């Protein structure tokens, strides 16, 4: 096959896929409507990188663990290659919400320690020492956890293989079509932007604008983060989470957040959301926000691309029009697909944790090489799962007397 792909969207999803394919010798046309990579959901000053272990080591826990490990390796490789990725492996302290949660966290550490790199439970005294703040509870301590500037990650992904990636910024794709063997991306005026045998939709919440992806149950979750002016080196100098998060000072600002509001398209900052973030901040670091007024705060709004099962969507797009809703359900492997059309999306609130792994998985699926995840997880992320689910649900309903 001609090793050439079009990628629409240069956020964490698109830039990660571009980096992984370019590393394999592929030529990439990366099309982004903004003036630079990482201007959408991936444009916050900083987000949090850490896994999310669970008692039963469920799919989310396994996936965040694999994502965390991949991300750490990828970030170290970008840094070693001289790319200007901005991140700080300060460690992440995830405080317990209450006594019951603390007991669960402790139990998870006892049961799952062997499966999770460097996970500890610290009591309240130890937590206070780590945070250098009188926090109200103990919790999980991930010494390998980090804050990451996601836009710098997008830029580093694109810059690492600059020779192979042709970036088209300030360019919006209005239409995709495959008149013969090649996919074409066109502007609103109908002009051809690029054509290639493979096309990857990495345009987050707007993927459904293209008829081939209109069946996907993608939604948007608005998130507002608040920026708190602070001095470098002030406490805490680690990331602290507790039903929200606060980062260390980065260029004189801490990020505290974030709100989560589904199908809410308001792009302007809201004072009420800053107030919500300040309430979360007080739960994390009691007293920190004293004297800070919501009306005085700056911040940023982003829209997370959300899937109904909170797992990302990575792989070939199913051909919804070719599926007979009345035919018996068939396994995922037999699902008709649109040739050469792929998706990397649905990262929700975990794009920093998942993007490196997702880019690698997509590159493996496209090049038919062994994936970095076991088969059950690859299937769990397959965008075709929603076509199967819709159909089997319909069949169950149909079968009812
Ligand atoms: C407030 C907030 C806090 C978060 N905190 C964390 C955190 O702590 N840890 C974590 O892991 N994750 C976090 N996330 C989640 C993470 O940021 C997202 O999952 C991730 O950024 C999604 O990446 P993406 O590439 O899919 O989307 P985006 O970054 O939105 O990229 C999609 C791109 O496609 C472009 N595009 C869209 N349509 C077109 C078109 N037709 N033509 C050309 N270009 C197009 C857009 O301009 C955009 O640049 C947070 C998100 C928010 C909003």
């Amino acid at each position: 096959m001609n090793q050439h792909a079009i990628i629409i969207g240069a956020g964490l999803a698109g830039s990660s896929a571009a980096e992984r394919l370019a590393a394999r010798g592929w030529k990439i046309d990366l099309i982004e409507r903004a003036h630079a990579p990482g201007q959408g959901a991936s444009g916050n000053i900083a987000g949090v990188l850490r896994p999310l272990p669970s008692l039963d080591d469920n799919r989310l826990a396994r996936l965040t663990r694999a994502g965390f490990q991949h991300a750490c390796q990828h970030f170290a490789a970008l840094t070693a290659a001289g790319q200007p990725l901005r991140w700080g492996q300060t460690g992440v302290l995830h405080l317990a919400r209450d006594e019951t949660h603390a007991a669960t966290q402790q139990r998870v550490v006892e049961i799952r320690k062997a499966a999770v790199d460097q996970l500890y439970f610290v009591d309240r005294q130890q937590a206070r020492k780590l945070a250098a703040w009188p926090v109200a509870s103990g919790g999980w301590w991930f010494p390998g956890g980090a804050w990451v500037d996601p836009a710098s990650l997008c830029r580093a992904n694109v810059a690492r293989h600059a020779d192979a990636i042709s970036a088209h910024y300030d360019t919006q794709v209005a239409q995709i079509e495959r008149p013969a063997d090649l996919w074409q991306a066109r502007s609103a005026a109908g002009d051809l932007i690029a054509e290639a045998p493979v096309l990857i939709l990495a345009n987050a919440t707007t993927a459904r604008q293209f008829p081939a992806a209109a069946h996907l149950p993608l939604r948007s979750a608005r998130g507002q983060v608040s920026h708190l002016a602070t001095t470098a080196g002030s406490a805490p100098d680690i990331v602290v989470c507790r039903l929200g998060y606060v980062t260390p000072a980065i260029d004189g600002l801490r990020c505290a957040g974030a709100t989560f509001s589904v199908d809410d398209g308001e792009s302007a900052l809201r004072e009420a959301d800053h107030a919500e973030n300040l309430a979360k901040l007080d739960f994390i670091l009691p007293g920190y926000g004293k004297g800070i007024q919501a009306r005085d705060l700056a911040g940023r709004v982003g829209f997370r691309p959300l899937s109904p099962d909170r797992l990302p969507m990575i792989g070939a797009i199913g051909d919804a029009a070719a599926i007979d809703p009345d035919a018996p359900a068939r396994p995922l492997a037999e699902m008709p697909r649109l040739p050469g059309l792929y998706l990397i999306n649905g990262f929700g609130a975990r794009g920093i944790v998942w993007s490196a792994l997702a880019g690698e998985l997509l590159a493996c699926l496209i090049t038919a090489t062994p994936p970095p995840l076991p088969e059950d997880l690859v299937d769990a992320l397959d965008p075709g799962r929603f076509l199967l689910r819709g159909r089997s649900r319909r069949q169950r309903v149909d079968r009812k007397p």
Side-chain angles (χ1 to χ4, degrees), residues 93-105:
L93 180 63
H94 180 144
L95 298 170
R97 294 186 292 278
D98 50 34
E99 289 302 315
T100 312
H101 188 212
T104 307
Q105 284 186 322

Side-chain angles (χ1 to χ4, degrees), residues 3-244:
Q3 298 191 333
H4 180 194
I6 299 169
I7 300 180
I8 303 176
L12 286 174
S15 68
S16 303
E19 195 279 327
R20 288 292 76 210
L21 282 170
R24 288 163 165 83
W26 280 55
K27 187 176 159 243
I28 307 295
D29 277 293
L30 180 63
I31 310 174
E32 167 57 56
R33 66 184 175 188
H35 64 281
Q39 302 297 301
S42 312
N44 285 337
I45 293 176
V48 185
L49 172 69
R50 52 88 199 259
L52 199 65
S54 74
L55 274 175
D56 60 354
D57 204 26
N58 57 32
R59 289 188 308 195
L60 187 62
R62 290 164 64 207
L63 198 62
T64 52
R65 182 164 71 239
F68 174 73
Q69 287 164 350
H70 255 78
C72 289
Q73 284 161 12
H74 181 57
F75 298 173
L78 286 175
T79 305
Q83 295 303 332
L85 169 66
R86 300 189 74 213
W87 69 307
Q89 222 163 4
T90 56
V92 174
L93 180 63
H94 180 144
L95 298 170
R97 294 186 292 278
D98 50 34
E99 289 302 315
T100 312
H101 188 212
T104 307
Q105 284 186 322
Q106 238 171 324
R107 186 98 184 94
V108 169
V109 173
E110 285 158 21
I111 293 179
R112 295 282 154 213
K113 193 161 173 44
V116 182
D117 278 347
Q118 293 188 301
L119 168 64
Y120 302 94
F121 182 82
V122 293
D123 63 22
R124 189 169 64 161
Q125 288 317 317
Q126 293 167 308
R128 287 181 166 193
K129 218 166 156 185
L130 284 165
W133 198 267
V135 295
S137 65
W140 280 327
W141 170 236
F142 302 98
W147 63 265
V148 180
D149 167 348
S152 81
L153 174 54
C154 299
R155 289 193 296 271
N157 280 333
V158 176
R160 192 177 189 193
H161 305 286
D163 291 351
I165 301 175
S166 305
H168 310 249
Y169 297 125
D170 294 311
T171 306
Q172 177 145 355
V173 179
Q175 197 188 335
I176 58 170
E177 57 190 12
R178 189 173 181 268
D181 291 343
L182 299 180
W183 281 98
Q184 299 181 334
R186 294 187 176 274
S187 70
D191 296 332
L192 181 69
I193 305 166
E195 61 180 359
V198 167
L199 189 147
I200 299 168
L201 297 180
N203 55 329
T205 53
T206 63
R208 290 177 59 177
Q209 78 173 87
F210 302 117
H215 65 276
L216 292 165
L218 262 173
R219 296 175 82 181
S220 159
R222 180 185 183 279
Q224 180 169 318
V225 72
S226 303
H227 298 160
L228 314 172
T230 187
T231 47
S234 59
D237 60 4
I238 59 171
V239 179
V240 191
C241 310
R242 196 183 188 210
L243 291 180

Side-chain angles (χ1 to χ4, degrees), residues 316-319 322-324 327-338 375 379 382 384-385 387-388 391:
I317 298 187
D319 186 353
I323 295 175
D324 175 359
R330 296 212 314 259
L332 257 182
E334 291 175 23
M335 173 167 293
R337 309 278 174 164
L338 287 159
E375 201 179 323
D379 286 352
D382 189 325
R385 69 191 186 272
L387 286 172
L388 275 185
R391 198 170 49 165

Side-chain angles (χ1 to χ4, degrees), residues 260-278:
F260 193 97
S261 158
V262 179
D263 296 337
D264 172 351
E266 174 62 77
S267 57
L269 288 167
R270 288 196 292 241
E271 191 179 318
D273 287 34
H274 281 318
E276 186 183 326
N277 285 339
L278 284 177

